[in-house]
Amino acid sequence: MYKNILLPVDLSDEVSSSKALAAALELTTAETTLHVVSVLPSFGSAQVAGYFSADFEKQALKHLADELCAWVQKHVPGDIKVKPHVLHGTVYHEVLMAADKLAADLIVIGAHRPELKDYFLGPNAARIVRHAKPSVFVVRN
């Protein structure tokens, strides 16, 4: 049914990522490619970046790529066509851009129970739901 499923994962939130993965796997077929993405947030300002070494972002991206590949290898069955992607920037923006670039039919995303502050600021999952072109399947903890 789906050709390209996009699964954003937060490697620091094992419960949310595992539940979203389980839902995504139920929706995959032999023709489906599962695109697992993780986003390294940007510093946000040049002033903050000045406190880190010049190659910090490069090292952080490499470390995240290694962690993501290990997570995929550990959690995704071998018979699933899967491609890991490391993105860099604002989480919701990078996920939406990846969905367009990869021609995602569906985004499966885990979401925690919102806290009061999230009602005012808007969590990443909510922004992705509001602005995504493909359908979005939100999996709650």
Side-chain angles (χ1 to χ4, degrees):
M1 182 172 175
Y2 297 106
K3 292 185 72 86
N4 291 295
I5 295 177
L6 183 65
L7 175 67
V9 295
D10 178 355
L11 297 177
S12 66
D13 185 355
E14 184 69 29
V15 173
S16 179
S17 297
S18 294
K19 288 191 175 198
L21 173 63
L25 291 176
E26 286 183 33
L27 298 167
T28 61
T29 66
E31 293 80 35
T32 305
T33 300
L34 179 63
H35 296 275
V36 182
V37 302
S38 193
V39 181
L40 177 68
S42 59
F43 290 125
S45 78
Q47 289 175 320
V48 173
Y51 289 98
F52 294 89
S53 64
D55 65 341
F56 177 80
E57 281 183 310
K58 182 179 177 181
Q59 289 178 6
L61 286 166
K62 169 84 171 90
H63 180 72
L64 181 57
D66 293 344
E67 283 188 352
L68 182 60
C69 287
W71 188 90
V72 165
Q73 189 170 26
K74 179 180 177 182
H75 292 91
V76 179
D79 61 335
I80 301 294
K81 202 173 0 173
V82 61
K83 293 184 180 180
H85 305 270
V86 172
L87 310 173
H88 184 234
T90 306
V91 174
Y92 72 90
H93 181 261
E94 293 301 317
V95 169
L96 293 171
M97 296 295 289
D100 287 345
K101 182 178 177 184
L102 299 169
D105 307 295
L106 178 69
I107 300 171
V108 178
I109 189 165
H112 59 79
R113 196 109 190 110
E115 298 175 20
L116 182 59
K117 67 181 173 98
D118 292 331
Y119 287 108
F120 298 112
L121 299 176
N124 288 310
R127 288 181 175 167
I128 291 167
V129 168
R130 279 195 307 270
H131 300 288
K133 292 176 186 170
S135 295
V136 180
F137 182 179
V138 179
V139 181
R140 289 258 185 220
N141 288 350

